C-alpha cells in the first residue's frame, strides 16, 4: 500500500527539551505513540482490508504490486492472471484510488481503475458487436453482485497482429483490451465494498478468458471461447 505522507518538521529546542521528548516516547500513550501512529485514513485502510480478505474464484491468481503515483493521495494496486494449467488465458490490473477530500470527476472519495487483456480467437475478433459485449460484461458483473457505482467510463480496444519476414511462421493474433474506471459507492464508515468489487472484476476476467460460468445461475452469460492451446512465442 502506498500512501502520501506529510512532511515532518524538526524541532529547534535544546538538549533539555530533547531529553523530555525522549522520556515521553517511552511512556504509554506519550509523544512516541502519536509519532508512530498510522497516518493512513481509516476508510482507505478498511477498503484495502476488503481487497485482502475477498474470496475469489479458482484459476485467478492475484498479487499486490506497486501502485501508480500522483493519481491520488492514496493508492493500492493488484495484478491478476487467469491460469489454466500452464496457460495464461487473461490478465489485468485493478487500482484502488482514494482522495479524502473527494474528487469532482469521481463524485466521491474512491475510484477503481482497471485494465483487462486477453487473446481472441480470429472469428470472435471479427465480430462487430464485440466492444459493446465486452463493456456489458463489466457493467453486468457489477450489477450481478448488487454493487452500486457511479461515473463509469472506459474504452474497449481490439488489435490484430500479422507477422512477416523472419516472423512469418507465427499465426496472426488478436487481442481485446478493456480500460475502465468507476466510483464505488461508500458504505458504513466511509469505505466501499471493495471485496465485492474485486470479486466482480474477477468475474470479468473469467468471462474475457473464456471460463465457464462460476455458478448455475450464470448459465446465460456469454463468454469468449477459451484458447485451445499455448500461444506461439
Amino acid at each position: 500500500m502506498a500512501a502520501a505522507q506529510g512532511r515532518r518538521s524538526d524541532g529547534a529546542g535544546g538538549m533539555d527539551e530533547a531529553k523530555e521528548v525522549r522520556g515521553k516516547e517511552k511512556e504509554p500513550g506519550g509523544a512516541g505513540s502519536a509519532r508512530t501512529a498510522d497516518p493512513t485514513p481509516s476508510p482507505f485502510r478498511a477498503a484495502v482490508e476488503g481487497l485482502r480478505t475477498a474470496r475469489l474464484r479458482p484459476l485467478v491468481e492475484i498479487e499486490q504490486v506497486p501502485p501508480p503515483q500522483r493519481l491520488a493521495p492514496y493508492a493500492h494496486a493488484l495484478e491478476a492472471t487467469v491460469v489454466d494449467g500452464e496457460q495464461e488465458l487473461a490478465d489485468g490490473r485493478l487500482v484502488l484510488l482514494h482522495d479524502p477530500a473527494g474528487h469532482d470527476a469521481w463524485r466521491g472519495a474512491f475510484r477503481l481503475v482497471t485494465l483487462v487483456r486477453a487473446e481472441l480467437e480470429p472469428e470472435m475478433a471479427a465480430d462487430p458487436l464485440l466492444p459493446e459485449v465486452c463493456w456489458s460484461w463489466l457493467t453486468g458483473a457489477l450489477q450481478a453482485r448488487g454493487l452500486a457505482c457511479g461515473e463509469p467510463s472506459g474504452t474497449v480496444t481490439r488489435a490484430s497482429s500479422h507477422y512477416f519476414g523472419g516472423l512469418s511462421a507465427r499465426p496472426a493474433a488478436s487481442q481485446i483490451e478493456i480500460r475502465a474506471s468507476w466510483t464505488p459507492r461508500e458504505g458504513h464508515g466511509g469505505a466501499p465494498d471493495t471485496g465485492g468489487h474485486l470479486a466482480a472484476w474477477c468475474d470479468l476476467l473469467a468471462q474475457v478468458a473464456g471460463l465457464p460460468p462460476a455458478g448455475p445461475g450464470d448459465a446465460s452469460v456469454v463468454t469468449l471461447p477459451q484458447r485451445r492451446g499455448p500461444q506461439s512465442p
Side-chain angles (χ1 to χ4, degrees), residues 159-193:
S160 298
S161 298
H162 299 265
Y163 301 94
F164 302 93
L167 301 176
S168 59
R170 295 187 181 184
S174 299
Q175 185 182 70
I176 193 72
E177 180 181 276
I178 303 172
R179 293 178 179 268
S181 63
W182 64 95
T183 298
R185 294 307 183 205
E186 299 163 20
H188 180 69
D193 179 11

Side-chain angles (χ1 to χ4, degrees), residues 47-72:
V48 171
E49 185 63 20
L51 294 174
R52 290 173 176 166
T53 58
R55 296 183 61 184
L56 308 177
R57 62 178 293 167
L59 303 183
V60 180
E61 299 180 356
I62 289 187
E63 64 176 341
Q64 181 180 340
V65 295
Q69 305 295 320
R70 302 177 183 177
L71 294 181

Side-chain angles (χ1 to χ4, degrees), residues 20-114:
E20 182 180 355
V21 169
R22 285 197 295 270
K24 290 183 178 180
E25 288 176 351
K26 297 178 181 179
E27 299 175 2
S33 300
R35 286 169 177 255
T36 58
D38 187 352
T40 307
S42 58
F44 183 70
R45 292 201 305 269
V48 171
E49 185 63 20
L51 294 174
R52 290 173 176 166
T53 58
R55 296 183 61 184
L56 308 177
R57 62 178 293 167
L59 303 183
V60 180
E61 299 180 356
I62 289 187
E63 64 176 341
Q64 181 180 340
V65 295
Q69 305 295 320
R70 302 177 183 177
L71 294 181
Y74 300 90
H76 186 87
L78 301 172
E79 282 189 351
T81 305
V82 181
V83 180
D84 187 6
E86 296 183 355
Q87 187 179 9
E88 295 185 0
L89 304 178
D91 64 84
R93 169 176 285 207
L94 182 69
V95 180
L96 173 68
L97 303 176
H98 177 52
D99 187 341
H103 195 291
D104 291 341
W106 303 351
R107 295 186 181 275
F110 286 89
R111 189 76 171 172
L112 285 164
V113 182
T114 186

Side-chain angles (χ1 to χ4, degrees), residues 113-138:
V113 182
T114 186
L115 164 66
V116 172
R117 298 173 298 193
E119 299 293 330
L120 294 176
E121 295 289 346
E123 60 271 19
M124 179 62 73
D127 188 342
L129 297 179
L130 181 64
E132 288 80 3
V133 171
C134 288
W135 182 255
S136 72
W137 289 343
L138 170 61

